Amino acid sequence: ARGAGLRLTGSNAEDLAGAGTASVRGGQVEGGRTISGTVTAQSAAIHDVTDSAGTATLTDSTANGLGNAAGATLSVSGGTATSAQNAGTLTLGGGNTVSGDVTNTAGSLTLDGETIGGTLVAQGGSFTVTPKAATAGSLSGSANGVLDGGTLTLTQAADTYSGVLSGTGGLT
């Protein structure tokens, strides 16, 4: 409901959906989180996170899939996820690890101390690597990237990347 609020502390829920405000601290959401309002999760376990139009912040939390739509903002610090798709504004950092692929189809992706076990797929939009650097298995696609003082380290480079990398960082 619009303007409604929900706070889960150490609780379990099946699904979160709506346009209000949700806070999950140390809880677990079995289904997923699809909300167009504001959600904050700390030390939580959320099956899937789909940010359709709001603002979501996950800190030291675990999620299977992360999805961020055009016009939405998702910030993830610490914790783990299995994959991420972005068309809005997505920041992955603070020692966060995505075990699979991170796909940027539009919008902006910021890697701030991120580890990507799979491929950074730069299909559209742009991506930035901060001075905290980032590690990915491989890099593919044609979207441009900025190495803003950080190094992007590829541990299993095997894909084709045809975008432009600029900035004062490095690629190894």
Side-chain angles (χ1 to χ4, degrees):
R2 184 171 292 277
L6 171 67
R7 180 173 294 222
L8 296 173
T9 302
S11 300
N12 291 335
E14 185 62 31
D15 288 299
L16 291 179
T21 301
S23 174
V24 181
R25 182 179 287 279
Q28 183 170 335
V29 178
E30 297 287 340
R33 174 254 179 233
T34 301
I35 194 165
S36 59
T38 301
V39 69
T40 303
Q42 183 169 350
S43 302
I46 302 175
H47 187 267
D48 287 307
V49 175
T50 303
D51 193 0
S52 61
T55 301
T57 303
L58 291 102
T59 305
D60 297 326
S61 296
T62 301
N64 281 342
L66 301 171
N68 197 47
T73 301
L74 176 59
S75 176
V76 182
S77 178
T80 61
T82 57
S83 64
Q85 293 237 354
N86 180 56
T89 301
L90 175 61
T91 300
L92 299 171
N96 176 263
T97 299
V98 175
S99 60
D101 294 344
V102 172
T103 303
N104 197 50
T105 59
S108 64
L109 170 65
T110 300
L111 303 175
D112 187 37
E114 171 71 10
T115 299
I116 300 167
T119 299
L120 171 56
V121 183
Q123 291 178 338
S126 64
F127 68 92
T128 300
V129 178
T130 72
K132 290 185 180 175
T135 299
S138 192
L139 174 63
S140 71
S142 58
N144 295 338
V146 176
L147 303 174
D148 190 14
T151 297
L152 176 59
T153 300
L154 303 177
T155 59
Q156 302 169 2
D159 296 296
T160 300
Y161 174 71
S162 59
V164 175
L165 293 178
S166 62
T168 59
L171 177 67
T172 59

